[in-house]
Each structure stands twice: as structure tokens, then as C-alpha cells.
């Protein structure tokens, strides 16, 4: 490969092809592209603007092959595909590009079950506020926390790589991301049940997240020390790098059972779902953490953070005890990874108002405040609704979730909604099914669970609810005697603009 080579990228309207084309162009190579989509239908055409990349939309002409020295097809394209039959140029696979072009910058990752997006977004904000540019994938509407997107994102221009690391419930994804980005350190926010439909048991899922620990062995991990799963995995995997623990000094308000890495069920005196104070006969117990948040005042959005060196007073721009955990982990990462003093970090914390779709107030309709939250797994729903109850009192919950942990997850989510909500409006096929079961077992719940607002429920792709089901659920909630409505789930956040139609 030399700077005079021209790389022909097939599929520039797809995420990987789009990223590869921009990476090569940023590294000084000549790049041309092609895609069967027309420009008006090309999902990521905007990301290519300003790159001076010639793109053949709607076809792959002979001129594309003539101008190219190397051809880079999509990973999904068969080697005997029609478009490649007459190709006489060397073909580079996705893995070849990853091997040939390295990140050339410090890379930091953030994983966990809940809080990843909030933590990633905030750490990037702190970086930008201090003149440090993170690499961005620029794929509009794409979260991009799994598969090959984080790996390629780390190779785009920027001073640092700050990557959200997800799984989609697929073993090997997390490990591949860490390994192929030369990641130096990361945060683990928590590990609570999710993707059980794909992975079977909770510990199967936990072991997928454990790939983060395995591949970072020797690096730096910033972890929630009040999560027994994280602390157990660190011990079981004999992690040799630097471990920095954080936690929150609050009175537990519930007791939950969680499987320990040794196989026993242990009681966790929970501060937030799945995290708090714990002890197992195998020796796993809550450590004395390195960073501890105290004097949490959620009403005034403040807390004190005791670091190994000093005590900080932290002003938050977001609500909820779960965000005290998120902010604490990020403050440590900004100090350790970005090398910033605390007085350069805290102003960014105070001005951070959260991520779209996370405890987001959308509008006031008929005098009622309407919020949406992306929470879609049992621990996430329990944590968010518990915080809403503390902060606001009574509310109606519209459920648009279909759990990735299947029936077990749907039941756990519904039970949390039942525990914290005044009224419940099922707006997904899964929540409707559980509601019917609950009402059959306990008819007295008729004054809290409201049905018959949707003619027929239909599962819609990976979303729990359709646009119409979200609309009808919100409409029903607005007619109930409660001044606050929260719609939970991916569908609720995707279709939040429906609120303005109402």
C-alpha cells in the first residue's frame, strides 16, 4: 500500500463501508466508492460530505474497477457475488483493513448493562470542553456500540478514542472490540441481567461482559465496587492491571438476590438495582472503594466526592441516584485517562443535562408532564422508576418494552412498574400479555392496570411496540388521574415526537 493507491470501497452506504472509506481518505489515500442505493436513499451519505470521494450510486460500473488498485467489499458480500466475478484487482477484507491501519491514539472503553451511553456522552463532553477531540463515527441515527463500528471509529481522526462497548448478546463482540482497538483502560458501570434470551443464564451474560476484563488485563479498569458480579469476575479472572473502585454511601432501600460467580445466590442490600452491600461465603464482599460519593442531595442535584487526594463538591445537571454512579465513574476517567485536573472536569459535569431518551422531559400535555426513558431491561427499569418515585411522587407508566431476556425479563419489568407506578398502561404485546395474567390472578388491579386502548397488539421488529401502540398508550395515560407520565422502552424514545401530535 502506498499513497498513490486508489481503494475502491463497495457499499459506502453501509456503516462499515462508509467508515472504511473515510478512514482511508483521512490517512491520505485515494478513495472511490460505490453502492446500489441511490444518493437520496443512502443512509450515511451525509457522513461522506467534504471528503472528496467519488461515489457511483445505484450501480457498480466498469470504471469503478478500472480506477481502483484495491477493492474492499462488504463483509456480507459473498466472494462469488456477481459484482466481483470480473474483478481482477486485489481484494482487501474488513479484517485486512483493521490489521493494516491502527488507531494511533489512546483508546478508552465504557461497558456495562446500564449507564454506558450516558457515561460515554459525558466523558466526550468533558474532552470537547477541554479542547480534546474524540474520534466520532458520524453515522447519523446509529448508536454504534457493537460489531465493527467501535473498532473502525477508533481509527478515525481524533486525539483520543472514547468508545461505548456493547454486545447485542453475542459472545466475542466485546473481546474483539477491546483487542482490535488496543484499548488501554475502561469503565464497567454495572452488570445486571440482560440478553438472557440470547445467552441463557445471567452468568453466561456476565461472562460476555467479562471479555472486557480479559482483554484489558494489564490495563486500567474503573469499576463499580458495589457490584458483586464485577468484583467477582475480577477475582476469577485474576486481573493483573490497575483497578480503581467507586461507590455511593447511601442507605439501601431494598434487598435483591444476585447470582455470585461461585454459583451461590447472595443477598445484595441494594442502593440501586443489583448494586450495594453484599457478602458471599466464597469471600466476595463489598470493598472499601477508592472513590466514594456522600451527602447525596437529589433535590438540589449535589453530592460530595471523596477522592484519594481531596473532597470535591459536585453539582449535577441530571437527576437520579444512578447518575451519581455514572458521574463518579466519568470523573475518575476524565482525571486518569484524559489527565485533567478536577477543576477542569466539574464545570462540564454541572452543565451536562443528559442524553436524549434518558429521563427526558418531552413536553407538557393537558397539564401533565410527559417523560420518556430508554430503559428496556429489568434493572434499568427498576432503577429509573425508583428514582422517578423519589423525585416526583405519583406517575403513570406506559410500557413499550419487549425484553431481550424474554418472558422472565417481561415479568420482572412489569413487577417493577407495578411496584412504583400509580397507573400502568401496557403498550407492547409483551406487557399486554403480562397485564392479562396479573389481572386474572388479582382482579383488584383493575383500578391500576388499563387495557383495551389498542385494537390489536403486534410485535414490531426489535421494538416492543409500534408507533400506533405508543400513540394509543400515551393517549390513554393522558386521560388518567395522574399529573406525570413516563413512557419506557426503545419504542417510547423512538416515537417521542408523537407527544406533540397529542
Amino acid at each position: 500500500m502506498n499513497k498513490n493507491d486508489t481503494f475502491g470501497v463497495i457499499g459506502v452506504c453501509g456503516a462499515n463501508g462508509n467508515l472504511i472509506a473515510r478512514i482511508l481518505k483521512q490517512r491520505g489515500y485515494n478513495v472511490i466508492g460505490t453502492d446500489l442505493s441511490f444518493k437520496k436513499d443512502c443512509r450515511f451519505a451525509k457522513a461522506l460530505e467534504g471528503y472528496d470521494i467519488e461515489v457511483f450510486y445505484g450501480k457498480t460500473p466498469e470504471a469503478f474497477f478500472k480506477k481502483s488498485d484495491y477493492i474492499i467489499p462488504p463483509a456480507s458480500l459473498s466472494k462469488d457475488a456477481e459484482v466481483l466475478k470480473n474483478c481482477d484487482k486485489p481484494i482487501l477484507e474488513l479484517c485486512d483493513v483493521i490489521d493494516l491501519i491502527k488507531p494511533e491514539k489512546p483508546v478508552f472503553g465504557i461497558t456495562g448493562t446500564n449507564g454506558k451511553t450516558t457515561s460515554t456522552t459525558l466523558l466526550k463532553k468533558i474532552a470537547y470542553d477541554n479542547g480534546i477531540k474524540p474520534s466520532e463515527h458520524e453515522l447519523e441515527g446509529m448508536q454504534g456500540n457493537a460489531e465493527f463500528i467501535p473498532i473502525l471509529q477508533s481509527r478515525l481522526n481524533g486525539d483520543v478514542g472514547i468508545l461505548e462497548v456493547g454486545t447485542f448478546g453475542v459472545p466475542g463482540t466485546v473481546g474483539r472490540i477491546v483487542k482490535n482497538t488496543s484499548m488501554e483502560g475502561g469503565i464497567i458501570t454495572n452488570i445486571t441481567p440482560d440478553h438472557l434470551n440470547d445467552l441463557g443464564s445471567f452468568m453466561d451474560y456476565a461472562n460476555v461482559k467479562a471479555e472486557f476484563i480479559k482483554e484489558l488485563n494489564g490495563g486500567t479498569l474503573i469499576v463499580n465496587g458495589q457490584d458483586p458480579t464485577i468484583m467477582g469476575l475480577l477475582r476469577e479472572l485474576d486481573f493483573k492491571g490497575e483497578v480503581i473502585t467507586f461507590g455511593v454511601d447511601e442507605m439501601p432501600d431494598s434487598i435483591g438476590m444476585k447470582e455470585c460467580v461461585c454459583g451461590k445466590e447472595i443477598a445484595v442490600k441494594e442502593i440501586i438495582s443489583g448494586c450495594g452491600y453484599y457478602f458471599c461465603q466464597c469471600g466476595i464482599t463489598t470493598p472499601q472503594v477508592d472513590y466514594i460519593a456522600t451527602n447525596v442531595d437529589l433535590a438540589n442535584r449535589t453530592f460530595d466526592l471523596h477522592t484519594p487526594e481531596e473532597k470535591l463538591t459536585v453539582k449535577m445537571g441530571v437527576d437520579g441516584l444512578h447518575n451519581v454512579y455514572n458521574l463518579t465513574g466519568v470523573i475518575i476517567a476524565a482525571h486518569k485517562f484524559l489527565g485533567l485536573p478536577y477543576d477542569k472536569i466539574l464545570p462540564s459535569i454541572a452543565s451536562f443535562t443528559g442524553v436524549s431518551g434518558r429521563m427526558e422531559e418531552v413536553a407538557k400535555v393537558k397539564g401533565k408532564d410527559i417523560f420518556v426513558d430508554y430503559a428496556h431491561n429489568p434493572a434499568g427499569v427498576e432503577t429509573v422508576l425508583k428514582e422517578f418515585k423519589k423525585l416526583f411522587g405519583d406517575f403513570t407508566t406506559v410500557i413499550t418494552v419487549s425484553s431481550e431476556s424474554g418472558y422472565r425479563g417481561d415479568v420482572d419489568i412489569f413487577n417493577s412498574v407495578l411496584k412504583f407506578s400509580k397507573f400502568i398502561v401496557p403498550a407492547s404485546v409483551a406487557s399486554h400479555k403480562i397485564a392479562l395474567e396479573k389481572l386474572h390472578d388479582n382482579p383488584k388491579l383493575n383500578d391500576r392496570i388499563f387495557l383495551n386502548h389498542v385494537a390489536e397488539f403486534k410485535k414490531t421488529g426489535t421494538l416492543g411496540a409500534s408507533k400506533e401502540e405508543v400513540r394509543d398508550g400515551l393517549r390513554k395515560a393522558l386521560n388518567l388521574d395522574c399529573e406525570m407520565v413516563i413512557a419506557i422502552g426503545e419504542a417510547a424514545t423512538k416515537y417521542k415526537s408523537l407527544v406533540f401530535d397529542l
Side-chain angles (χ1 to χ4, degrees):
M1 290 172 59
N2 63 66
K3 295 300 181 181
N4 294 320
D5 289 334
T6 296
F7 292 84
V9 182
I10 300 175
V12 292
C13 293
N16 292 344
N18 190 288
L19 288 164
I20 289 169
R22 288 186 283 135
I23 289 166
L24 290 167
K25 194 68 180 176
Q26 287 177 359
R27 299 295 174 98
Y29 295 102
N30 302 314
V31 180
I32 61 174
T34 182
D35 202 283
L36 292 178
S37 297
F38 291 100
K39 188 171 182 179
K40 64 182 178 64
D41 303 316
C42 181
R43 181 177 178 186
F44 303 125
K46 188 176 179 182
L48 297 172
E49 291 176 4
Y51 275 88
D52 190 26
I53 296 173
E54 182 183 15
V55 179
F56 299 93
Y57 288 107
K59 58 181 179 179
T60 305
E62 188 63 32
F64 171 80
F65 293 101
K66 285 182 178 178
K67 290 183 177 184
S68 302
D69 295 301
Y70 293 91
I71 301 297
I72 305 175
S76 59
L77 189 67
S78 169
K79 287 183 173 61
D80 58 1
E82 188 67 31
V83 71
L84 297 176
K85 279 188 177 174
N86 298 317
C87 175
D88 59 354
K89 301 296 174 68
I91 291 178
L92 293 179
E93 305 288 351
L94 173 60
C95 59
D96 297 323
V97 176
I98 291 168
D99 287 340
L100 290 166
I101 298 179
K102 300 302 181 185
E104 298 179 350
K105 65 176 71 67
V107 177
F108 186 86
I110 299 170
T111 197
T113 306
N114 305 109
K116 295 187 297 297
T117 302
T118 295
S119 298
T120 304
T121 306
L122 176 53
L123 187 55
K124 285 184 180 180
K125 178 186 187 301
I126 295 168
Y128 282 120
D129 289 351
N130 287 279
I132 302 167
K133 184 185 181 302
S135 56
E136 299 280 14
H137 61 61
E138 305 292 356
L139 300 173
E140 194 171 353
M142 177 76 78
Q143 187 172 6
N145 67 0
E147 302 301 337
F148 288 94
I149 295 176
I151 295 170
L152 295 170
Q153 180 182 332
S154 71
R155 286 153 170 80
L156 288 165
N157 284 350
D159 302 317
V160 295
I162 298 173
L163 307 177
E164 180 177 341
V165 181
T167 69
F168 288 159
V170 180
T173 303
V174 171
R176 182 172 62 234
I177 292 170
V178 176
K179 183 177 181 180
N180 286 295
T181 56
S182 303
M183 197 173 285
E184 298 177 7
I187 297 173
I188 308 179
T189 58
N190 52 45
I191 301 176
T192 54
D194 200 9
H195 292 290
L196 300 189
N197 248 12
D198 306 301
L199 293 163
S201 73
F202 169 58
M203 285 313 301
D204 288 334
Y205 167 71
N207 283 320
V208 170
K209 290 293 184 185
E211 294 170 14
F212 197 77
I213 298 171
K214 289 177 186 174
E215 290 296 339
L216 264 174
N217 212 339
T220 299
L221 278 175
I222 299 164
V223 303
N224 180 348
Q226 293 176 330
D227 186 323
T229 308
I230 297 173
M231 300 310 293
L233 288 170
L234 287 168
R235 186 191 71 178
E236 292 297 295
L237 296 171
D238 193 24
F239 184 75
K240 299 294 188 186
E242 181 184 13
V243 177
I244 302 169
T245 56
F246 64 88
V248 177
D249 182 22
E250 278 286 299
M251 289 294 292
D253 60 6
S254 61
I255 296 179
M257 301 304 294
K258 202 173 187 185
E259 185 182 355
C260 181
V261 292
C262 72
K264 293 186 176 71
E265 287 280 315
I266 58 172
V268 180
K269 296 177 180 178
E270 293 181 321
I271 298 172
I272 61 171
S273 183
C275 301
Y277 303 104
Y278 52 87
F279 170 78
C280 182
Q281 291 177 349
C282 73
I284 298 295
T285 189
T286 315
Q288 182 173 335
V289 295
D290 301 307
Y291 289 73
I292 186 78
T294 66
N295 299 323
V296 177
D297 184 343
L298 293 177
N300 292 304
R301 292 178 169 174
T302 62
F303 65 92
D304 291 334
L305 180 59
H306 297 263
T307 80
E309 302 89 21
E310 59 186 297
K311 184 183 85 170
L312 309 172
T313 297
V314 182
K315 176 68 178 172
M316 304 191 296
V318 290
D319 289 312
L321 194 56
H322 61 301
N323 275 322
V324 176
Y325 280 92
N326 292 334
L327 269 54
T328 298
V330 169
I331 290 169
I332 301 167
H335 185 59
K336 293 286 186 180
F337 177 67
L338 298 179
L340 295 170
Y342 295 119
D343 62 357
K344 296 290 187 182
I345 299 169
L346 295 184
S348 298
I349 299 288
S351 61
F352 178 66
T353 54
V355 177
S356 175
R358 269 69 175 182
M359 292 183 79
E360 179 185 358
E361 186 170 6
V362 180
K364 187 183 281 283
V365 181
K366 296 183 180 178
K368 301 180 192 293
D369 296 308
I370 300 184
F371 288 76
V372 296
D373 195 279
Y374 187 78
H376 60 287
N377 56 56
V381 170
E382 181 183 30
T383 296
V384 166
L385 296 188
K386 185 189 290 185
E387 295 307 305
F388 259 86
K389 187 70 175 176
K390 287 180 189 173
L391 291 163
F392 304 119
D394 287 341
F395 55 85
T396 298
T397 301
V398 179
I399 310 174
T400 76
V401 183
S402 181
S403 173
E404 290 169 335
S405 294
Y407 179 77
R408 288 177 293 172
D410 291 325
V411 171
D412 289 342
I413 286 169
F414 202 100
N415 285 340
S416 287
V417 174
L418 196 57
K419 180 178 179 181
F420 296 108
S421 310
K422 181 178 181 181
F423 300 127
I424 299 135
V425 179
S428 65
V429 63
S431 61
H432 183 255
K433 177 182 178 182
I434 306 300
L436 290 172
E437 294 172 0
K438 294 286 184 184
L439 289 169
H440 178 269
D441 294 338
N442 185 1
K444 291 181 179 179
L445 290 174
N446 265 309
D447 61 351
R448 293 184 59 204
I449 299 173
F450 292 85
L451 302 176
N452 304 321
H453 51 281
V454 176
E456 182 182 2
F457 282 96
K458 295 178 181 177
K459 181 83 164 60
T460 309
T462 58
L463 294 176
S466 67
K467 186 175 183 178
E468 293 72 26
E469 288 162 358
V470 174
R471 180 199 63 206
D472 293 344
L474 287 169
R475 186 175 286 150
K476 182 70 174 180
L478 287 169
N479 288 318
L480 299 177
D481 184 22
C482 191
E483 300 306 306
M484 180 166 289
V485 175
I486 175 169
I488 57 168
E490 183 181 357
T493 55
K494 180 178 176 67
Y495 301 127
K496 64 185 178 183
S497 61
L498 286 168
V499 171
F500 301 106
D501 299 332
L502 296 172

